[in-house]
Amino acid sequence: MNSFFSLPFHQPTVIFTLVLLLILAAPVVFRRLKIPDVVGLILAGVAVGPYGFNLLERDASFQIFGQVGILYLMFLAAVEIDMYHFKKNLRQGLAFGLLTFIVPAVLGMVAAHYAFGAGLTTCLLLASMYSSHTLISYPVVSRFGLQNGRGVILAVSATIVAVLLALITLASVVKLQATGKFEVSDILMLLLYTAGYALIVGFTFPRFTRFVFRKISDAVAQYIFILAMVFVGALLAQLIGLESILGAFYVGLVLNRLIPGRSSLMHHIKFVGNAIFIPYFLIGVGMLINVHVIFRGWSVAWVAANMIIVALVSKWISAWLAQKAFRLTSTDRRMMFGLTSGKAAATIAATMLGYQYGIINEDIMNGAVLMILACCLVASVITERTAIRMRIELTAAEMESTGVESPEFARQIVAVSNPITAEGLMRLAVFMRSPKNTEPITALFVRNSDDPKSLRAGRFSLRTAAQAAQEMGVVAVEEERFDLNVVSGLTNMIRQTHATDIVIGFHRKANIVDSFFGQMTDTLLKETLKMVIMSRCFIPISTVRRIVVVAGAKAQYETGFHDWVARVGNLAQQLACKVIFIVSAETSTYIEDIISTDGYSIRRIYQEMTEWDDFILLSGKVGPEDLLVIVGARKGSISYSAAQEEIPEFLSKNFASHNLMVVYPEQFNG
């Protein structure tokens, strides 16, 4: 019994229980003191660690979970970025990376030489410590939903450059200390390996993941697979001499498009990371810090104060220079400073290696540890305060652009009866919604008999569809309706819920004389003037690579024109895929105006189509991994033409095995 409660605790159950209590209680306690959650967890680690009350020692569990946590943090930072914004700001991000490496490195070398009388190797080592940074305060950004802010994207992009150059500097210093000479060939070889790594991972990982996702739909299996890919990428990075955090970050970038922001997979990734792995890492960082060293003498205090000032001032100067060069706001500058001033993984590695090889003495090692603590505290406080300010500014801008009244959002009905297609239809409907839409979505099963087999299939379809919506953070209402026929049940539900969109699966031809869309669909289009969306996907919607949209001339004059463009914009933005609009020159102008005005961040190109025969010529470019979207028109509408009568037959002959969506926009304020 005595050994069970002896300090520090060694019993696994006690250790894990105490860590869970810290993860639960620390944010609550420190939040009352207006201290950010990230800082609270680090300070909690200081308190329970070997340099605090010695309740826990930094054993193998903290080393393992800590390593998992930092890899998870870097992966999450990459996978949450909107790739459209990332590519748009990539050049400036890489330039800021050079800036936030060079300025701290130069200032650090000068300060080390004049303040400590350090030699070349020590100055270079300290330069790598000052210039590297860890996105330790990124969870704050994620919590406020600011991951696509310009300052955030520049800071995250800069991480690639700053950490890579800092690690190259560190490797060069260690090699110089160990062998007494510097080999340029080693650096060139590392860069060659890095380029090969980027090409291999960038080419194989997305394709293999897309293949697996098509074969495996189980949420747990997909999550485990993604986690495995992250660690394989991190391990490969280590094998070529890079830091594993760079590998995890790069895997997040290449898999970004396969993990939509509103998908259940993204929900699982964020939940597990924020609940266990990242807090474990932050507590582990705190356990490394020995605050007692500051009282050992003035020398440690002087070294620590010098290092803290140089580290923070140099990162602030870098952010200020970037703000002036890229014409950013002061809020963006503070966000960039907050994210790039935190230090953990690479700095800790440099400190340990430097002391091991005798490059730095004990005073500098202790000063570096205190610098890590101070930088983590400053980074977290600055990031949280800036995030609050940025969120207020964004909300005010949104209110000003949309008006005080909330805009009318889509109220969707998803008609289901087949358990195989129910989940896919619901996910498609959710992806087409605005992320700000708080309206519930209706999953509807219409029956006109008491056939047990049909009843079981329909009710199971309802549960499957509702569960898919809930996993994606959308409230789903399950409705089972007994009516004369499916069309009658749908139209009655439309009136009851004031629905704007009806999403249904594609009709399956019953015999050779049956039409491509089916009698039920034809009747539905006559009975309601609301937007009707028919879909058939042979692959998971999240694995679609391109969306090809075809709309006839004068489509812009239809009542529901803006709505269907918005649905396509939301879908493409969630899937981070390119959209090819095959439309007339006049229609493309109206589409571009909506996309720009509403702020859809999507990659798009336009191909001119003067008549429907042009689409037949262009259709050969639609591949099995694309989603073909046909914008139809009801008879008598402005954009209707006789040529559209041939579309169902053409689709039946040429796109029987393609992913297809046919949209009939709302007519005459249906």
Side-chain angles (χ1 to χ4, degrees), residues 193-226:
Y193 285 151
T194 302
Y197 169 85
L199 289 174
I200 293 172
V201 172
F203 181 81
T204 60
F205 275 40
R207 285 164 175 76
F208 185 50
T209 302
R210 192 173 279 111
F211 170 78
V212 171
F213 279 10
R214 290 173 186 166
K215 301 296 182 182
I216 300 175
S217 58
D218 180 68
V220 175
Q222 287 187 349
Y223 173 78
I224 296 298
F225 172 79
I226 287 295

Side-chain angles (χ1 to χ4, degrees), residues 6 26 49 52 72 90 113 117 150 215 274 276 297 327 411 459 472 522 529 538 597 609 639:
S6 61
Y72 215 101
L90 183 58
H113 176 71
R150 193 177 175 196
K215 301 296 182 182
N274 292 328
I276 296 292
R327 298 179 181 179
R411 292 181 293 276
R459 289 176 176 173
M472 300 174 75
D522 294 337
L529 297 177
F538 295 103
T597 303
M609 181 182 78
S639 61

Side-chain angles (χ1 to χ4, degrees), residues 68 86 282 309 336 338 343 360 367 371 394 442 461 466 488 512 541 551-552 561 633:
V68 172
F86 179 76
L282 295 173
I309 291 171
M336 292 159 65
K343 297 188 181 297
I360 59 176
M371 177 190 68
L394 287 174
T442 302
S461 299
S488 178
I512 195 169
I541 189 66
F561 175 72

